[in-house]
Amino acid sequence: MDNHPIIGIMVTKRKFRKRILKIYQRYHNLKLKLYAFTPSDIHWKEQRIIGLSLKKGKWKQSSFSFPHAVYNRCFNKKLITIQRLEKVIGRNKCFNNINFFNKWDLYNLLKQSNLKPYVPDTFLYNEVKISELLEKYRLVYIKPIYGFKGTSVYRVELTDNEDIHISLHSLAPRYICRKNESIQEKLDELLGQKNYMVQQGIHMNLLDHQHFDIRVLVQKDILGKWMISTITCRVAYEHYFNTSMCESICDVAEILPRLFSPEKINEILQSLFEVSVKAAQEAEIQMGLLGELSVDFVLDKQSDLWIIELNGKPQKNIYKDIKSFKHKKLIYGRPVEYAYYLSQS
């Protein structure tokens, strides 16, 4: 019997097993067994897992022993399954335990680290007066504490004539509060009961009048070290601020030369590398063992970098739109390599 390590990829639903497994299977060349399973496929009593694997080119569902390491692809806040798994396979053998990040906790963590200069001032929505923050910053963003893909992110701006513009996705205001109207009442009505936070608005450096952000994908490698796998820019549609619904995605090397000198580009790239790795290390303190995340930055008018958010389940399908994308093997190979590393440690 060969004694190659067994690696499990945990997904939310059975219908995702094949698609996810196919792609991770393709981009690694390690001697290991890989199977995909869902939390409900675990038979705790028998200590077996019903998993899907690719054997000699054929998809096969079978009963497996517990894996030596687990790559968690379930997007949730619950830790029960992971904790039970680790009781059986050993502590710190599952990674990306929590990948649905609490933005407020992360903000506080980063604020207390030496990344503080890169983090915009942020407050809990129900603890501040929006009108006072607007007097101070002129522009704020209101976002859900647990949010993703830019849903329900409001842009609130105090204009020169003292009106307040509230926008969602696009820069055109959805609502205008005249100066004698209560902004707080309007927002309370819009936001409902969800937990939101308010972030100082960064006046962004634009690319031909378009908003863009910089997404750094940070992943652990086969030695368990944080590495930068790829850096891309998401360019929003014209007249939009939400880069999650973007017009184009390009390699950072395509965008920065349109804005900066070679010296400045080197300086920005060096900061992106250092700050992203440090942010990943800090996030791990808060979230438990992680193997990958993305860090989103914007550049302000002075060309300084700001961390806008960290994402615990980076969408990898965004990279398919990049012409001649060279990093596919890295972005899909590294999680399997890191799982292999954990299986050996």
Side-chain angles (χ1 to χ4, degrees), residues 103 110 118-120 122 141 143 197 199-202 204 213-214 234 243 295-299 305-310:
K103 293 181 171 48
L110 295 177
Y118 297 95
V119 186
T122 306
Y141 288 92
K143 45 175 80 169
M197 58 189 212
Q199 202 164 57
Q200 162 196 0
I202 304 302
M204 285 160 65
D213 66 6
I214 301 172
R234 301 185 299 174
T243 50
V295 190
D296 290 345
F297 294 88
V298 296
L299 284 157
L305 283 168
W306 294 86
I307 297 175
I308 296 302
E309 64 181 40
L310 272 58

Side-chain angles (χ1 to χ4, degrees), residues 75 77 98-111 119-120 122-124 142-153 195-199 215 244 286-287 296 307-313:
F75 191 50
K77 305 172 218 170
I98 295 182
N99 46 34
F100 197 23
F101 288 176
N102 177 317
K103 293 181 171 48
W104 176 247
D105 287 348
L106 272 176
Y107 161 75
N108 284 301
L109 190 78
L110 295 177
K111 202 72 181 169
V119 186
T122 306
F123 312 87
L124 282 174
I142 302 178
K143 45 175 80 169
I145 285 174
Y146 284 107
F148 65 109
K149 293 188 183 168
T151 43
S152 308
V153 174
N195 290 330
Y196 282 84
M197 58 189 212
V198 188
Q199 202 164 57
R215 170 161 283 195
S244 294
Q286 182 79 36
M287 302 297 165
D296 290 345
I307 297 175
I308 296 302
E309 64 181 40
L310 272 58
N311 191 313
K313 193 180 178 210

Side-chain angles (χ1 to χ4, degrees), residues 18-247:
K18 190 168 169 179
R19 180 174 52 97
I20 286 178
L21 193 61
K22 206 176 190 170
I23 203 154
Y24 287 96
Q25 186 82 42
R26 190 168 147 199
Y27 290 105
H28 81 83
N29 44 17
L30 296 163
K31 289 191 167 22
L32 51 82
K33 280 188 183 142
L34 196 59
Y35 71 86
F37 67 99
T38 71
S40 53
D41 289 327
I42 306 171
H43 295 267
W44 297 101
K45 270 208 180 88
E46 296 81 43
Q47 297 227 339
R48 303 290 290 175
I49 296 178
I50 305 300
L52 187 73
S53 67
L54 189 61
K55 215 169 176 182
K56 296 186 175 139
K58 289 199 168 66
W59 292 102
K60 199 165 175 255
Q61 181 167 291
S62 28
S63 162
F64 289 89
S65 56
F66 275 46
H68 297 102
V70 173
Y71 172 26
N72 177 32
R73 296 281 303 161
C74 296
F75 191 50
N76 63 25
K77 305 172 218 170
K78 292 194 202 71
L79 273 172
I80 296 162
T81 307
I82 302 252
Q83 285 161 349
R84 282 186 80 177
L85 268 172
E86 289 200 328
K87 278 207 172 90
V88 182
I89 66 176
R91 218 172 137 248
N92 287 341
K93 297 293 184 188
C94 299
F95 66 96
N96 290 16
N97 301 349
I98 295 182
N99 46 34
F100 197 23
F101 288 176
N102 177 317
K103 293 181 171 48
W104 176 247
D105 287 348
L106 272 176
Y107 161 75
N108 284 301
L109 190 78
L110 295 177
K111 202 72 181 169
Q112 286 157 31
S113 74
N114 56 7
L115 296 182
K116 185 175 188 230
Y118 297 95
V119 186
D121 294 343
T122 306
F123 312 87
L124 282 174
Y125 174 74
N126 53 16
E127 289 180 4
V128 287
K129 278 205 169 97
I130 296 294
S131 51
E132 286 173 14
L133 293 184
L134 283 170
E135 285 298 329
K136 183 173 181 182
Y137 302 115
R138 311 294 295 184
L139 174 67
V140 298
Y141 288 92
I142 302 178
K143 45 175 80 169
I145 285 174
Y146 284 107
F148 65 109
K149 293 188 183 168
T151 43
S152 308
V153 174
Y154 289 91
R155 182 183 192 275
V156 185
E157 183 174 24
L158 180 60
T159 62
D160 293 340
N161 65 2
E162 301 298 307
D163 284 346
I164 296 169
H165 287 187
I166 305 172
S167 323
L168 185 70
H169 305 312
S170 85
L171 293 164
R174 284 218 170 172
Y175 310 96
I176 295 176
C177 257
R178 303 293 173 205
K179 60 176 164 206
N180 52 2
E181 292 179 76
S182 160
I183 176 72
Q184 205 79 39
E185 271 174 38
K186 183 73 208 164
L187 286 169
D188 287 349
E189 183 190 316
L190 272 180
L191 303 177
Q193 293 305 305
K194 274 212 198 80
N195 290 330
Y196 282 84
M197 58 189 212
V198 188
Q199 202 164 57
Q200 162 196 0
I202 304 302
H203 292 277
M204 285 160 65
N205 200 323
L206 302 180
L207 181 77
D208 302 332
H209 310 295
Q210 283 170 282
H211 284 67
F212 73 96
D213 66 6
I214 301 172
R215 170 161 283 195
V216 183
L217 179 64
V218 204
Q219 295 176 302
K220 283 191 185 155
D221 66 4
I222 197 152
L223 301 172
K225 292 233 178 319
W226 283 111
M227 305 294 276
I228 305 302
S229 294
T230 180
I231 306 181
T232 47
C233 291
R234 301 185 299 174
V235 183
Y237 287 97
E238 205 166 339
H239 310 303
Y240 279 75
F241 66 85
N242 182 357
T243 50
S244 294
M245 315 188 293
C246 55
E247 182 177 65

